[in-house]
């Protein structure tokens, strides 16, 4: 860059004794800078301050910040006027819409690093000061590079109709003036940056505080995060925000759609799950990313990352609590199983005697008619009780499976054969989708048959008015899957945890004993398999049984 400049530092200025009008001006500039005003408000105040110390008619600022150019020009007419805007450099010239006097524009552009200083210009120079005469001498301009650290960041232009307003003899005064203005500009920028950083840190601190609370639900947390974002923006009064996760949106109260927005995406578990977005009602000015700052982009990215961590943490917590519930459930079932086995064994003996003696007594001749039918009742009741004991032993896994290599599809076909006429009578459509390449499983044929019948009977009982029963088999890695799905009323969430407990039933006395699913559970567990149920009230229920292929091992849920 071809220009001369004078480098000033705060200590240089402190060493000097400044004239009193400059000292007063310094105080005013610094107090404006410390208020953290916006760029345009600050330049407006600066031009008011400058025009108040001398009979200048115009004070204009041309600034270069982060590859952008801004101009703020204040002038005295009937009243004080001020214009501010971004400036484009095109074909060797700067072009603010509001600035007419074009003479010095080329020189300003050259000072700012665009092109060389034009030689033809009639100018006097001393120190930082360049004086230009306009037209026939009806107006004069003083150009002062603003270079707080030696690198030119802007140009101050003062105008006057009087020639003696700017003389090379007073170059020292103008040097000091330029340094003060440069430091004022820098001080404002530091103040604003500091204020923005404090706002961002406050936002991040607020987010960290809510995120650390484990008692808060994810929707509430996301709503809180959205509400913390607008105050962290450069223009909070026109900002609103939203967090979108899995299609659900959490917005600030004053949210309104707008094209002026900044968005960071929430990617969790390798998937795009949503985004965090801040919007301005209108675009106040062009900054780094639309009307937003680079730092605001970083903040939004950090918030999106924080939300990703929260989602991961919530998922782990949910998995853990689900596993704990399952473990507790399995524990309870095991305890009930031990109890059931004990009772079943104890009852087996006396039950055997009752049945044996009753059948013996039935064979005696000349029994009175009434006694004969009583004996029959005793035998039937004992047979029923023996069936219950058998089921309890199944549940308690006291009936070891007699395993062999069997085809699950064949057992399904045989099991459903018994149900098909019942399905037809009840208007239930029976759909089977059996995988043709399912390997053989090692299982007790009779017990697996029992599983299929018990699950199918429950499904049929759940659809007295008709529906659809779908039975599928499939290979899932090292497991054979058997899924039995109905379109019945489903199972209430309060009932679901109890369905495997022996004697738990929601059916009438004649319809259910509450042992069907406990038997299924006992058999599947004895086969090292897994049984899992999902149910949507009003839609239906799906039981999934997984049995290990070959000699695999599994765990009951
Ligand atoms: P039972 O059928 O004798 O009641 P189960 O142990 O087979 O005993 O089932 C326990 C309970 O689970 C049933 O009473 C019923 O409430 C519920 N249940 C089981 N299967 C289904 C199903 N397919 N649809 C709706 N509820 C079901």
């Amino acid at each position: 860059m071809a220009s001369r400049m004078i480098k000033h530092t705060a200590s240089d200025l402190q060493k000097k004794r400044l004239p009193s009008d400059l000292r007063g001006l310094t105080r005013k500039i610094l107090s404006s800078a410390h208020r953290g005003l916006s760029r345009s408000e600050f330049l407006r105040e600066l031009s008011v301050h400058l025009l108040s110390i001398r009979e200048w008619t115009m004070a204009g600022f041309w600034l270069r910040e982060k590859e952008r150019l801004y101009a703020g020009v204040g002038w005295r007419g009937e009243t004080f006027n001020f214009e501010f805007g971004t400036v484009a450099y095109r074909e060797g010239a700067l072009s603010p819409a509001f600035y007419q006097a074009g003479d010095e524009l080329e020189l300003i552009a050259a000072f700012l690093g665009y092109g060389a200083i034009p030689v033809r210009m009639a100018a006097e120079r001393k120190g930082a000061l360049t004086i230009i005469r306009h037209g026939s001498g009806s107006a004069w301009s003083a150009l002062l590079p603003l270079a707080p650290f030696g690198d030119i960041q802007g140009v101050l232009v003062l105008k006057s109709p009087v020639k003696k307003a700017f003389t090379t003899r007073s170059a020292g005064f103008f040097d000091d003036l330029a340094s003060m203005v440069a430091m004022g500009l820098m001080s404002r920028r530091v103040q604003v940056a500091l204020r923005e950083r404090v706002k961002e840190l406050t936002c991040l601190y607020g987010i960290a505080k809510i995120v650390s609370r484990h008692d808060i639900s994810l929707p509430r947390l996301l709503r809180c995060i959205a509400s913390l974002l607008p105050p962290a923006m450069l223009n909070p009064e026109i900002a609103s925000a939203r967090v979108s996760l899995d299609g659900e949106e959490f917005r600030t109260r004053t949210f309104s759609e707008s094209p002026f927005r900044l968005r960071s995406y929430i990617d969790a578990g390798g998937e795009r799950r949503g985004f965090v977005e801040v919007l301005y009602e209108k675009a106040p000015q062009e900054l780094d990313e639309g009307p937003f700052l680079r730092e605001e982009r970083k903040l939004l990215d950090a918030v999106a990352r924080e939300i990703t961590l929260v989602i991961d943490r919530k998922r782990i917590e949910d998995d853990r609590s689900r596993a704990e519930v399952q473990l507790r459930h399995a524990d309870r079932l095991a305890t009930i199983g031990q109890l059931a086995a004990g009772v079943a064994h104890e009852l087996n003996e006396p039950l055997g005697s009752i049945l044996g003696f009753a059948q013996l007594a039935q064979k005696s001749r000349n029994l009175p008619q009434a006694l004969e039918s009583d004996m029959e009742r005793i035998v039937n009741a004992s047979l029923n009780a023996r069936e219950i004991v058998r089921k309890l032993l199944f549940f308690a896994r006291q009936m070891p499976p007699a395993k062999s290599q069997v085809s699950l599809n064949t057992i399904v076909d045989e099991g459903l054969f018994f149900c098909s006429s019942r399905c037809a009578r009840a208007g239930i459509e029976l759909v089977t989708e059996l995988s043709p390449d399912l390997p053989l499983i090692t299982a007790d044929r009779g017990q697996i048959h029992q599983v299929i019948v018990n699950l199918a009977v429950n499904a049929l009982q759940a659809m007295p008015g008709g529906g659809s029963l779908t039975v599928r088999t499939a290979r899932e890695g090292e497991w054979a899957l058997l899924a039995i799905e109905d379109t019945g009323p489903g199972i209430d969430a309060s009932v679901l945890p109890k369905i495997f407990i022996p004697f738990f039933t929601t059916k009438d006395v004649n319809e259910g004993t509450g042992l069907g699913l406990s038997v299924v559970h006992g058999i599947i567990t004895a086969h090292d398999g897994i049984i899992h149920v999902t149910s949507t009230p009003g839609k239906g229920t799906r039981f999934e049984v997984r049995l290990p292929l070959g000699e695999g091992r599994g765990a009951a849920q």
Side-chain angles (χ1 to χ4, degrees):
M1 190 186 317
S3 68
R4 295 143 298 113
M5 62 199 128
I6 304 232
K7 186 172 159 187
H8 293 282
T9 62
S11 59
D12 286 344
L13 281 176
Q14 276 159 10
K15 277 181 222 147
K16 281 190 179 180
R17 272 207 56 79
L18 295 171
S20 67
D21 53 353
L22 277 193
R23 281 209 302 277
L25 182 69
T26 313
R27 267 196 304 276
K28 283 183 189 167
I29 292 176
L30 289 180
S31 105
S32 296
H34 284 160
R35 278 162 52 214
L37 298 172
S38 71
R39 193 183 286 109
S40 69
E41 285 164 342
F42 181 62
L43 292 182
R44 185 178 208 286
E45 288 206 358
L46 265 189
S47 52
V48 170
H49 296 327
L50 287 174
L51 296 186
S52 72
I53 62 161
R54 291 283 194 280
E55 286 299 304
W56 300 319
T57 48
M58 189 212 83
F61 307 87
W62 302 77
L63 306 177
R64 197 184 57 204
E65 271 180 40
K66 295 186 193 163
E67 307 312 316
R68 277 180 195 278
L69 292 176
Y70 304 93
V73 179
W75 69 96
R76 240 198 290 258
E78 298 265 298
T79 53
F80 173 75
N81 301 286
F82 181 77
E83 290 277 4
F84 175 84
T86 49
V87 178
Y89 174 76
R90 242 177 264 121
E91 290 157 22
L94 295 164
S95 57
F98 52 83
Y99 198 71
Q100 300 305 323
D103 270 14
E104 69 270 32
L105 283 178
E106 252 179 289
L107 195 54
I108 295 171
F111 276 155
L112 291 173
Y114 299 97
I117 292 186
V119 250
R120 58 174 168 75
M121 200 156 270
E124 279 180 70
R125 287 175 199 164
K126 184 162 185 206
L129 176 68
T130 300
I131 305 165
I132 304 174
R133 186 185 60 154
H134 298 283
S136 56
S138 57
W140 299 82
S141 289
L143 269 66
L144 295 154
L146 301 170
F149 293 111
D151 181 20
I152 294 182
Q153 293 180 0
V155 182
L156 166 63
V157 181
L158 298 166
K159 230 171 225 184
S160 171
V162 187
K163 178 178 189 315
K164 67 174 185 346
F166 313 117
T167 60
T168 48
R169 260 181 293 122
S170 47
F173 167 85
F174 286 104
D175 283 354
D176 292 344
L177 185 72
S179 305
M180 245 179 288
V181 170
M183 263 182 299
L185 287 167
M186 200 176 61
S187 167
R188 182 207 74 94
R189 221 179 301 157
V190 169
Q191 283 295 328
V192 170
L194 195 66
R195 198 180 57 180
E196 289 310 302
R197 285 316 74 75
V198 168
K199 276 158 62 179
E200 284 162 26
L201 285 176
T202 309
C203 169
L204 285 175
Y205 175 68
I207 290 175
K209 249 171 78 180
I210 1 169
V211 162
S212 67
R213 281 180 55 184
H214 290 254
D215 56 335
I216 192 164
S217 70
L218 189 60
R220 186 149 162 242
L221 188 128
L222 297 177
R223 205 163 289 122
C224 286
I225 290 179
S227 70
L228 285 168
L229 289 170
M233 296 295 115
L234 184 63
N235 299 289
E237 61 292 341
I238 52 164
S240 61
R242 69 174 149 196
V243 178
S244 167
L245 186 68
D246 298 333
E248 216 180 323
E249 284 205 354
F250 306 92
R251 302 168 162 193
T252 49
R253 232 172 284 138
T254 57
F255 180 86
S256 60
E257 289 286 358
S258 155
F260 309 111
R261 58 189 181 199
L262 189 67
R263 185 182 271 201
S264 287
Y265 287 97
I266 302 168
D267 294 325
E271 251 187 277
R272 177 138 301 171
R273 301 277 299 271
F275 57 83
V276 197
E277 193 173 63
V278 183
L279 302 94
Y280 278 155
E281 265 166 48
K282 52 184 190 256
Q285 69 195 84
E286 274 291 300
L287 294 171
D288 305 323
E289 214 174 301
F292 296 96
L293 294 168
R294 200 168 300 149
E295 290 74 16
E296 290 169 341
R297 147 71 54 214
K298 282 191 200 148
L299 173 72
L300 221 58
D301 286 348
V303 172
R305 272 198 305 277
E306 194 60 45
I307 294 176
T308 305
L309 291 178
V310 171
I311 296 170
D312 283 346
R313 195 190 72 197
K314 286 254 177 223
R315 187 182 45 75
I316 292 167
E317 278 172 9
D318 286 353
D319 285 355
R320 195 191 308 137
S321 65
R322 211 173 305 127
E324 274 170 14
V325 168
Q326 281 172 3
L327 208 63
R328 246 180 281 134
H329 187 57
D331 248 12
R332 231 175 54 231
L333 287 182
T335 312
I336 295 169
Q338 281 168 1
L339 185 73
V343 173
H345 277 303
E346 289 303 315
L347 285 181
N348 228 3
E349 194 101 344
L351 207 55
S353 305
I354 293 169
L355 188 62
F357 284 116
Q359 284 170 335
L360 212 60
Q362 264 184 325
K363 288 188 184 133
S364 336
R365 285 189 201 146
N366 306 326
L367 277 182
Q369 182 78 38
L371 201 57
E372 217 170 86
S373 67
D374 285 349
M375 291 314 291
E376 197 174 334
R377 279 201 198 107
I378 294 173
V379 168
N380 283 345
S382 309
L383 285 171
N384 195 18
R386 203 176 61 176
E387 185 58 22
I388 290 177
V389 165
R390 198 178 71 89
K391 285 181 174 173
L392 279 179
L393 290 173
F394 259 129
F395 167 70
R397 280 171 267 154
Q398 300 281 319
M399 303 276 277
K403 293 186 185 174
S404 61
Q405 292 279 300
V406 290
S407 152
L408 181 59
N409 286 345
T410 309
I411 307 175
V412 169
D413 275 335
E414 286 165 4
L416 293 182
F417 176 74
F418 290 104
C419 304
S420 53
S421 59
R422 201 169 154 184
C423 280
R425 258 182 283 127
I428 293 168
E429 182 197 16
L430 182 59
V431 182
T432 46
E433 291 172 14
L434 307 184
S435 165
D437 48 6
L438 194 66
L440 296 179
I441 56 169
T442 310
D444 183 314
R445 179 182 211 93
Q447 292 188 7
I448 299 301
H449 177 88
Q450 176 101 56
V451 166
I452 293 160
V453 170
N454 286 9
L455 293 177
V457 166
N458 275 346
L460 298 187
Q461 284 179 335
M463 300 183 288
S468 164
L469 170 65
T470 309
V471 182
R472 276 192 195 96
T473 59
R475 181 179 185 157
E476 266 186 5
E478 291 305 301
W479 299 94
L481 168 77
L482 165 69
I484 298 190
E485 199 171 341
D486 64 58
T487 55
I491 304 174
D492 200 80
S494 60
V495 169
L496 206 57
K498 302 181 201 154
I499 57 172
F500 293 107
I501 296 172
F503 302 110
F504 174 83
T505 181
T506 57
K507 295 173 189 166
D508 286 342
V509 187
N510 297 331
E511 277 224 333
T513 55
L515 285 172
L517 287 181
S518 21
V519 166
V520 168
H521 189 277
I523 293 173
I524 300 304
T525 312
H527 280 78
D528 292 327
I530 299 167
I531 180 158
H532 184 70
V533 54
T534 46
S535 187
T536 316
K539 290 218 164 142
T541 304
R542 177 181 167 93
F543 281 90
E544 283 180 1
V545 171
R546 284 178 179 78
L547 293 165
L549 290 172
E551 290 304 315
R553 270 167 193 284
Q557 291 190 341

